[in-house]
Amino acid sequence: MKLSHFNFDLPKELLAEYPSENRDEARLMVVNRKEGTIEHKMFKDLIDYFDEGDVMVLNNTKVFPARLYGNKEKTGARIEVFLLRELNEEQRLWDVLVDPARKIRIGNKLYFGDDESLVAEVIDNTTSRGRTLRFLYDGSYEDFRRKLKELGETPLPKYIKREVEPEDEERYQTIYAKFEGAVAAPTAGLHFSKHLLKRLEIKGAKFAEVTLHVGLGTFNPVEVEDLSKHKMDSEELLIPEDAANIVNGAKQNKKKVCAVGTTVMRALESSVSSEKLLNAYEGWTNKFIFPPYDFSIADCMVTNFHTPKSTLLMMVSAFAGHDLIKKAYEEAVKEKYKFYSYGDAMLIL
């Protein structure tokens, strides 16, 4: 399949600037692959599709406040710095994106905070917008991380045009987020409330947690018509032994394994044994899934409605079938479902 197969017109008013008032009261489109049917529900109705012994696999990564604003030395120009990943804890080296990039060269210094208590020096160019920064800060590593948190803001996606609000810190985080390291939320999980998780647990559903630290590479535009030539950025991944055991137990007992989100699906497909079971894993993944693709682990998934031409839409199309997803998205536009991070959800069975 080609890039152009994943384009569609999305009316601007369907971009969700805010989430539902209650997490589990987003709308839910249920797409049945076997029957080719589409139903309209509420997210809390998800419980009706799972039974005792079924497993929901969750991504417990936690978003850190990755967007900082600093001033360039001498000119005082305001520069946005987006923290991507820490390269070296001891030397306080980070991979970042800067905007506007044309103004930022090796050797420049950036000052952060009203009191300029945090300074960074540009030590390398990595891509057109990418730089490596060395942060200069008097204090322990813990103090330094606290300072980053204090100065940083929740990295809402660029398409949300409003200002970041204090509430975003909590609402752009899943309720089961544990390990800090993502620059974007695994958004399918944003729909789960404590109440819904408890109800699923009472019904006998099990939960397995993996950690995939979402990087910006997930959202990098695909710029090649031939999808096999697109390269994904690597993201850090941990699949603990106990999670692999829970998933494999469900598969051997013919129970459902549901990937909550494209990040989970990518995590699962990155570590498959020759018997099509899940292996524990610690490392990095740059797995790119697009049609046609033979999935090994999950047999259903929860996901959001994604951007045209995105790698996320390609994965969902590989899972549900391109024609069925096309039909579902046409229906979503007609029924005014909300798209992207704070939008509505889809369950693919």
Side-chain angles (χ1 to χ4, degrees):
M1 298 204 78
K2 303 273 191 252
L3 176 63
S4 45
H5 288 122
F6 298 93
N7 201 11
F8 63 93
D9 287 326
L10 181 61
K12 279 205 166 48
E13 67 272 14
L14 297 187
L15 299 183
E17 294 260 312
Y18 290 94
S20 311
E21 186 86 12
N22 297 312
R23 285 178 182 258
D24 57 13
E25 284 177 359
R27 294 166 76 193
L28 178 71
M29 179 185 281
V30 181
V31 176
N32 188 309
R33 295 181 292 167
K34 207 153 102 195
E35 312 292 335
T37 56
I38 293 171
E39 295 177 279
H40 304 285
K41 302 279 185 178
M42 297 292 282
F43 194 81
K44 56 188 174 189
D45 299 328
L46 187 82
I47 192 163
D48 299 337
Y49 297 89
F50 294 92
D51 298 309
E52 190 172 347
D54 290 341
V55 171
M56 316 282 291
V57 188
L58 311 173
N59 182 4
N60 62 18
T61 187
K62 193 171 190 180
V63 181
F64 67 95
R67 191 173 273 132
L68 303 170
Y69 293 96
N71 297 99
K72 191 178 164 191
E73 63 177 338
K74 296 182 183 143
T75 67
R78 181 175 151 97
I79 306 293
E80 178 188 308
V81 173
F82 197 104
L83 301 172
L84 289 179
R85 62 174 71 95
E86 186 174 45
L87 300 173
N88 185 306
E89 189 176 304
E90 213 173 296
Q91 296 181 35
R92 299 180 187 171
L93 296 183
W94 282 75
D95 260 346
V96 304
L97 294 178
V98 293
D99 194 18
R102 66 183 188 287
K103 295 184 173 180
I104 302 301
R105 299 192 173 89
I106 293 172
N108 287 159
K109 283 204 172 86
L110 299 170
Y111 293 86
F112 301 90
D114 295 338
D115 57 356
E116 299 186 344
S117 55
L118 184 63
V119 183
E121 185 180 2
V122 182
I123 62 166
D124 198 9
N125 293 336
T126 50
T127 61
S128 59
R129 287 183 56 218
R131 302 289 183 270
T132 302
L133 296 188
R134 177 186 286 118
F135 283 97
L136 313 168
Y137 183 73
D138 292 331
S140 67
Y141 179 72
E142 287 66 34
D143 288 346
F144 165 63
R145 289 302 297 238
R146 264 196 292 277
K147 178 57 78 173
L148 283 184
K149 204 169 223 168
E150 178 196 313
L151 294 172
E153 68 174 34
T154 303
L156 287 186
K158 280 285 196 193
Y159 72 83
I160 293 183
K161 298 299 181 203
R162 63 175 174 78
E163 289 292 303
V164 174
E165 298 168 5
E167 293 84 356
D168 287 313
E169 192 178 336
E170 178 267 330
R171 61 192 176 199
Y172 195 59
Q173 203 80 269
T174 63
I175 56 165
Y176 46 78
K178 285 187 187 141
F179 302 113
E180 207 168 71
V183 300
T187 54
L190 294 178
H191 303 292
F192 284 87
S193 62
K194 285 193 170 124
H195 183 60
L196 179 57
L197 284 179
K198 195 72 198 158
R199 287 175 64 215
L200 280 160
E201 198 183 313
I202 290 164
K203 199 170 177 184
K206 294 179 178 175
F207 300 95
E209 294 188 10
V210 301
T211 309
L212 186 138
H213 291 315
V214 188
L216 280 187
T218 300
F219 310 100
N220 276 351
V222 180
E223 288 168 341
V224 284
E225 185 65 10
D226 178 353
L227 301 183
S228 64
K229 292 190 164 57
H230 177 69
K231 295 281 180 284
M232 291 285 279
D233 282 1
S234 289
E235 293 170 318
E236 205 173 345
L237 169 61
L238 172 68
I239 301 173
E241 195 77 51
D242 65 334
N245 291 340
I246 292 168
V247 167
N248 293 336
K251 285 185 76 63
Q252 282 152 348
N253 291 320
K254 305 277 187 285
K255 297 292 184 183
K256 278 196 199 90
V257 174
C258 182
V260 176
T262 54
T263 63
V264 169
M265 187 65 91
R266 196 158 76 255
L268 298 178
E269 291 298 318
S270 296
S271 188
V272 180
S273 74
S274 53
E275 289 86 45
K276 299 221 163 184
L277 293 171
L278 184 62
N279 285 330
Y281 178 79
E282 185 170 0
W284 295 77
T285 178
N286 63 352
K287 186 91 177 161
F288 174 34
I289 297 173
F290 59 94
Y293 183 86
D294 185 17
F295 290 83
S296 299
I297 306 291
D299 35 36
C300 59
M301 81 182 290
V302 175
T303 188
N304 281 31
F305 290 92
H306 305 294
T307 2
K309 296 185 176 179
S310 64
T311 59
L312 310 174
L313 177 57
M314 290 163 194
M315 180 195 290
V316 171
S317 294
F319 189 67
H322 186 66
D323 291 342
L324 184 54
I325 284 297
K326 201 169 169 218
K327 183 178 154 193
Y329 270 56
E330 282 165 4
E331 179 102 352
V333 170
K334 192 176 99 208
E335 296 294 329
K336 299 199 168 11
Y337 274 73
K338 291 289 188 182
F339 278 66
Y340 303 176
S341 302
Y342 278 155
D344 294 315
M346 179 188 280
L347 170 62
I348 306 171
L349 295 166

